[in-house]
Amino acid sequence: MRRYLSTFFIMDVASTIPYQGIAYLVNGEVREGMVYSLLGLLRLWRLRKVKQFFTRLEKDIRFSYFWVRCARLIAVTLFLVHCAGCLYYLLADRYPDRDKTWIGAVIPNFRQESLWIRYISSIYWSITTMTTVGYGDLHAQNNLEMIFNIFYMLFNLGLTAYLIGNMTNLVVEGTRRTMEFRNSIRAASNFVCRNHLPPRLQQQILAYMCLKFRAESLNQQQLMDQLPKSICKSICEHLFLPVVKEVYLFRGISREAQLLLVTKTKPEYIPPKEDVIVQNEAADDVYIVVSGEVEIIYFNGEREEVMGKLGTMDIFGEVSALSDRPQTFTFRTRTLSQLLRLKQATLREVMQSKPDDSALIVRNFLKMWQERL
């Protein structure tokens, strides 16, 4: 508050004082003159508030940035058109020979016309000049008006560039993602055709490209990489700890070990029909299903058989991580699935740092496989 009182407070007050109204109360008559005109220009200071208002709206996610920006550009254009029209009329009104003015040549004794007609004529001239239409029905009649027109037309070059540049950026930004998606799909299709890839692999590539486009707003890892570690840890604890603590392999271990595992995981979205782990592959990662379904598939040399399905709070890939044996099955997503990926080296590092929890993890692993056998 003290800073505001020492900076903008005086100008804010000066821009709101009705000087002509005060003069009328003191003298009993409306005063007009250069002094009151200059004092009236102080009202332009309030444009700073309008600029701050639009800036706040542009940053407010509750409103569309596109429409707020369009409203701002329209407001700027209308204000400049209004100012140019008023200044141009002021030149005609103050000119000694009013018949030799841009409006006096068309409307003799124009000061006797209504304010509305004079204002519309000024705005009409301003817009036709700004848009470079120039019908010629309202044009400069004296040197002063010609000089004003020269500067106004030069100013309009910059204003037009500003408006076109901003509108172009808004339109391009609105279609950027779609164009990037089309280009990536075209590049993927050319790659598939050029290398004669099989249809199934082609479908997987295109499905991944489509998923990447649809789920771009769901990519939370990109956001979390920008946040401090303490905040990321709290986010992971809130989102994934309830899932990890119910996984059979980590059931009963200390909360500290659970938090350590959660912070080391990386969430990923996997499209349908995607092989996450292939049969007889020595997987380097362990996966926890957060949402979606994963099929357990066995290939007997002739055909594939679905041996089961995994859902939320299930885990796969732990066989290779704990026993250094290749996976017996292929794990393939059945639907769009969110998985937590935990590297094998990270899991072993956590187990080495927590001997008691490590023994419990191994016990849970052996118990589960005994039950399955």
Side-chain angles (χ1 to χ4, degrees):
M1 178 59 106
R2 184 176 302 173
R3 181 181 178 183
Y4 171 68
L5 292 176
S6 62
T7 53
F8 299 123
F9 174 73
I10 297 176
M11 291 298 298
D12 287 343
V13 173
S15 64
T16 57
I17 296 176
Y19 297 99
Q20 288 182 321
I22 294 175
Y24 178 78
L25 293 176
V26 174
N27 301 315
E29 59 182 4
V30 178
R31 294 292 185 89
E32 293 184 1
M34 184 63 67
V35 175
Y36 290 102
S37 299
L38 294 177
L39 290 174
L41 291 177
L42 291 175
R43 298 175 185 175
L44 297 176
W45 176 260
R46 287 181 285 182
L47 292 175
R48 186 178 63 91
K49 296 291 185 181
V50 179
K51 177 180 180 296
Q52 293 175 350
F53 171 73
F54 277 109
T55 301
R56 287 196 300 270
L57 286 183
E58 289 177 355
K59 296 179 180 179
D60 195 332
I61 61 174
R62 294 176 299 176
F63 302 97
S64 170
Y65 176 80
F66 177 84
W67 293 114
V68 172
R69 191 66 180 177
C70 287
R72 182 172 186 169
L73 295 175
I74 293 174
V76 169
T77 304
L78 293 179
F79 173 74
L80 294 176
V81 166
H82 168 80
C83 290
C86 292
L87 289 175
Y88 202 47
Y89 174 81
L90 182 63
L91 292 178
D93 186 63
R94 294 289 188 267
Y95 197 73
D97 189 356
R98 293 174 181 172
D99 292 334
K100 293 183 178 180
T101 61
W102 66 273
I103 189 172
V106 179
I107 308 176
N109 298 322
F110 60 88
R111 294 196 67 181
Q112 298 178 3
E113 297 290 340
S114 65
L115 178 63
W116 177 251
I117 293 178
R118 287 178 285 168
Y119 181 73
I120 290 296
S121 300
S122 302
I123 296 301
Y124 169 76
W125 167 86
S126 182
I127 292 178
T128 54
T129 304
M130 185 191 69
T131 56
T132 68
V133 175
Y135 291 116
D137 49 351
L138 297 176
H139 58 276
Q141 297 288 336
N142 53 69
N143 292 335
L144 189 60
E145 292 176 352
M146 291 180 184
I147 294 174
F148 181 83
N149 280 344
I150 290 172
F151 283 101
Y152 183 53
M153 287 185 285
L154 291 176
F155 171 78
N156 283 334
L157 294 177
L159 176 62
T160 303
Y162 171 77
L163 295 175
I164 294 177
N166 277 269
M167 294 304 298
T168 302
N169 286 335
L170 290 175
V171 173
V172 170
E173 183 63 25
T175 59
R176 177 185 58 83
R177 290 185 65 246
T178 302
M179 291 300 299
E180 290 179 353
F181 171 71
R182 290 172 59 89
N183 293 336
S184 61
I185 291 295
R186 186 181 296 110
S189 300
N190 293 336
F191 174 80
V192 169
C193 296
R194 186 169 58 253
N195 294 277
H196 304 289
L197 298 180
R200 183 174 178 276
L201 191 56
Q202 178 181 358
Q203 293 177 359
Q204 288 182 343
I205 294 175
L206 296 179
Y208 173 78
M209 302 300 293
C210 293
L211 173 66
K212 183 179 179 182
F213 175 76
R214 293 197 305 267
E216 184 175 337
S217 59
L218 302 176
N219 187 9
Q220 56 196 17
Q221 190 62 36
Q222 184 177 2
L223 171 63
M224 294 177 64
D225 290 340
Q226 302 175 7
L227 299 175
K229 290 185 178 181
S230 58
I231 298 179
C232 291
K233 182 178 179 181
S234 300
I235 293 175
C236 292
E237 178 181 355
H238 175 74
L239 293 177
F240 305 125
L241 183 60
V243 177
V244 172
K245 67 191 302 183
E246 295 298 327
V247 174
Y248 86 90
L249 192 64
F250 308 126
R251 197 169 296 159
I253 65 175
S254 64
R255 182 179 178 82
E256 183 180 356
Q258 292 174 350
L259 288 174
L260 190 58
L261 289 171
V262 165
T263 55
K264 298 292 184 179
T265 58
K266 181 180 180 182
E268 295 180 350
Y269 283 92
I270 309 297
K273 306 300 181 182
E274 181 80 12
D275 290 341
V276 183
I277 296 179
V278 181
Q279 183 176 333
N280 298 324
E281 177 187 70
D284 296 329
D285 301 314
V286 179
Y287 294 90
I288 301 173
V289 182
V290 178
S291 62
E293 292 184 354
V294 177
E295 293 179 332
I296 305 174
I297 299 175
Y298 178 74
F299 181 68
N300 58 14
E302 296 181 356
R303 61 187 181 89
E304 295 180 343
E305 298 181 7
V306 178
M307 308 301 295
K309 297 178 182 178
L310 301 177
T312 303
M313 301 179 186
D314 286 328
I315 187 173
F316 59 94
E318 75 279 15
V319 175
S320 296
L322 297 177
S323 62
D324 291 325
R325 294 170 51 191
Q327 286 289 337
T328 311
F329 306 100
T330 294
F331 294 90
R332 181 181 301 160
T333 55
R334 185 171 180 269
T335 61
L336 175 63
S337 304
Q338 185 184 21
L339 307 179
L340 292 180
R341 179 163 62 90
L342 178 64
K343 289 189 174 297
Q344 177 184 7
T346 302
L347 176 60
R348 292 186 175 183
E349 181 181 344
V350 173
M351 294 176 64
Q352 291 176 0
S353 62
K354 305 289 183 181
D356 296 337
D357 295 319
S358 176
L360 188 56
I361 290 175
V362 174
R363 192 180 306 120
N364 291 337
F365 175 73
L366 296 176
K367 180 180 178 181
M368 175 59 69
W369 279 98
Q370 287 177 357
E371 294 176 356
R372 291 179 180 178
L373 295 176

